[in-house]
Amino acid sequence: MNDTIPHALCRKRTHAEDMAVYRAQQRRRPDNELHADMCHPDWEYATTEGQRKAWYHSDVPPDGGGWVRNIHAGRDGWERFDYTEESYWMRPRNWENERE
């Protein structure tokens, strides 16, 4: 009796299969939780930063189009720390550009 596993059963998953599984697992959580953790598979995230209580461009999104404030992260889209403030942004991910 041959104890080897057939090649078709032990092949590794492709990157596309791994991403499909990852997206399916992530979609089980509510969207607002995924946005709060900045890990929704269909969105990309960015953070801008400035000086604490003296940052006059906190409402300026990152370079590129389509950014909206991620109101699920921090305190309604921003957070204040000891020396800095951060604004949190999100936009829909463009999957066609990432495949290239």
Side-chain angles (χ1 to χ4, degrees):
M1 180 179 251
N2 190 352
D3 291 332
T4 60
I5 300 172
H7 178 71
L9 294 178
C10 65
R11 72 173 180 83
K12 292 183 179 179
R13 289 191 309 215
T14 65
H15 177 71
E17 289 171 328
D18 284 341
M19 287 306 296
V21 169
Y22 172 76
R23 285 195 301 270
Q25 290 171 342
Q26 291 297 318
R27 285 193 180 117
R28 291 180 184 161
R29 294 175 54 197
D31 283 351
N32 58 347
E33 286 182 20
L34 294 172
H35 290 314
D37 293 338
M38 297 186 194
C39 66
H40 193 292
D42 294 328
W43 291 77
E44 58 183 309
Y45 300 91
T47 302
T48 55
E49 182 181 80
Q51 183 179 351
R52 178 185 167 97
K53 294 188 178 182
W55 183 27
Y56 303 110
H57 304 290
S58 61
D59 290 327
V60 176
D63 292 337
W67 292 105
V68 295
R69 188 171 293 276
N70 183 0
I71 61 169
H72 307 285
R75 292 191 230 170
D76 213 20
W78 70 282
E79 191 68 65
R80 181 172 287 152
F81 299 101
D82 289 341
Y83 300 103
T84 61
E85 293 181 8
E86 293 180 350
S87 288
Y88 305 114
W89 304 92
M90 63 186 198
R91 70 178 172 186
R93 180 166 279 165
N94 187 348
W95 290 105
E96 287 73 35
N97 290 345
E98 292 188 13
R99 290 185 188 140
E100 297 173 357

